[in-house]
Coordinates of all heavy atoms in Angstrom, one line a residue:
H78 N 4.2 -18.3 -13.8 CA 3.2 -19.3 -13.4 C 3.4 -19.8 -11.9 O 2.5 -19.9 -11.1 CB 3.3 -20.5 -14.3 CG 2.2 -21.6 -14.0 ND1 2.5 -22.6 -13.2 CD2 1.0 -21.7 -14.4 CE1 1.4 -23.4 -13.1 NE2 0.5 -22.8 -13.8
D79 N 4.7 -20.0 -11.6 CA 5.0 -20.4 -10.2 C 4.6 -19.3 -9.2 O 4.1 -19.6 -8.1 CB 6.5 -20.7 -10.0 CG 6.9 -22.0 -10.8 OD1 6.0 -22.7 -11.3 OD2 8.2 -22.1 -11.0
I80 N 4.9 -18.1 -9.5 CA 4.6 -17.0 -8.6 C 3.1 -16.9 -8.5 O 2.5 -16.7 -7.4 CB 5.2 -15.6 -9.1 CG1 6.7 -15.7 -9.0 CG2 4.6 -14.4 -8.4 CD1 7.4 -14.5 -9.7
S81 N 2.3 -17.0 -9.6 CA 0.9 -16.9 -9.6 C 0.3 -18.0 -8.7 O -0.6 -17.8 -7.9 CB 0.2 -17.1 -11.0 OG 1.0 -16.5 -11.9
E82 N 0.8 -19.2 -8.8 CA 0.3 -20.3 -8.0 C 0.5 -20.0 -6.5 O -0.3 -20.3 -5.7 CB 1.0 -21.7 -8.4 CG 0.4 -22.3 -9.6 CD 1.0 -23.7 -9.9 OE1 2.0 -24.0 -9.3 OE2 0.4 -24.4 -10.7
K83 N 1.7 -19.5 -6.2 CA 2.0 -19.1 -4.8 C 1.1 -18.1 -4.3 O 0.5 -18.1 -3.2 CB 3.5 -18.7 -4.7 CG 4.0 -18.5 -3.3 CD 5.4 -18.1 -3.2 CE 6.3 -19.3 -3.4 NZ 7.7 -19.0 -3.1
L84 N 0.8 -17.0 -5.1 CA -0.1 -16.0 -4.7 C -1.5 -16.5 -4.5 O -2.2 -16.1 -3.6 CB -0.1 -14.8 -5.7 CG 1.1 -13.9 -5.7 CD1 1.0 -12.9 -6.9 CD2 1.2 -13.1 -4.4
I85 N -1.9 -17.4 -5.4 CA -3.3 -17.9 -5.3 C -3.4 -18.7 -4.0 O -4.4 -18.6 -3.3 CB -3.6 -18.8 -6.5 CG1 -3.8 -17.9 -7.7 CG2 -4.8 -19.7 -6.2 CD1 -3.9 -18.7 -9.0
S86 N -2.4 -19.5 -3.6 CA -2.5 -20.2 -2.4 C -2.4 -19.3 -1.1 O -3.1 -19.6 -0.2 CB -1.4 -21.3 -2.3 OG -0.1 -20.7 -2.2
I87 N -1.6 -18.3 -1.2 CA -1.6 -17.3 -0.1 C -2.9 -16.6 0.1 O -3.4 -16.6 1.2 CB -0.5 -16.2 -0.4 CG1 0.9 -16.8 -0.2 CG2 -0.7 -15.0 0.6 CD1 2.0 -15.9 -0.7
Y88 N -3.5 -16.2 -1.0 CA -4.8 -15.5 -0.9 C -6.0 -16.5 -0.5 O -6.9 -16.1 0.2 CB -5.2 -14.7 -2.2 CG -4.5 -13.4 -2.1 CD1 -3.2 -13.2 -2.7 CD2 -5.0 -12.3 -1.4 CE1 -2.5 -12.0 -2.6 CE2 -4.4 -11.1 -1.3 CZ -3.1 -10.9 -1.9 OH -2.5 -9.7 -1.8
A89 N -5.9 -17.7 -1.0 CA -6.8 -18.7 -0.6 C -6.8 -19.0 1.0 O -7.8 -19.0 1.6 CB -6.6 -20.0 -1.3
A90 N -5.5 -19.0 1.5 CA -5.4 -19.2 2.9 C -5.9 -18.0 3.7 O -6.5 -18.1 4.7 CB -3.9 -19.4 3.3
R91 N -5.7 -16.8 3.1 CA -6.2 -15.6 3.8 C -7.7 -15.5 3.8 O -8.3 -15.1 4.8 CB -5.6 -14.3 3.1 CG -4.2 -14.0 3.4 CD -3.7 -12.7 2.8 NE -4.4 -11.5 3.3 CZ -4.2 -10.9 4.5 NH1 -3.3 -11.4 5.3 NH2 -4.9 -9.9 4.9
L92 N -8.3 -16.0 2.7 CA -9.8 -16.0 2.7 C -10.4 -16.9 3.7 O -11.5 -16.7 4.2 CB -10.2 -16.4 1.3 CG -10.1 -15.3 0.2 CD1 -10.5 -15.8 -1.2 CD2 -11.0 -14.1 0.6

Side-chain angles (χ1 to χ4, degrees):
H78 183 266
D79 293 346
I80 291 169
S81 326
E82 281 186 344
K83 190 179 278 188
L84 284 173
I85 288 169
S86 68
I87 288 170
Y88 278 92
R91 284 186 63 80
L92 284 174

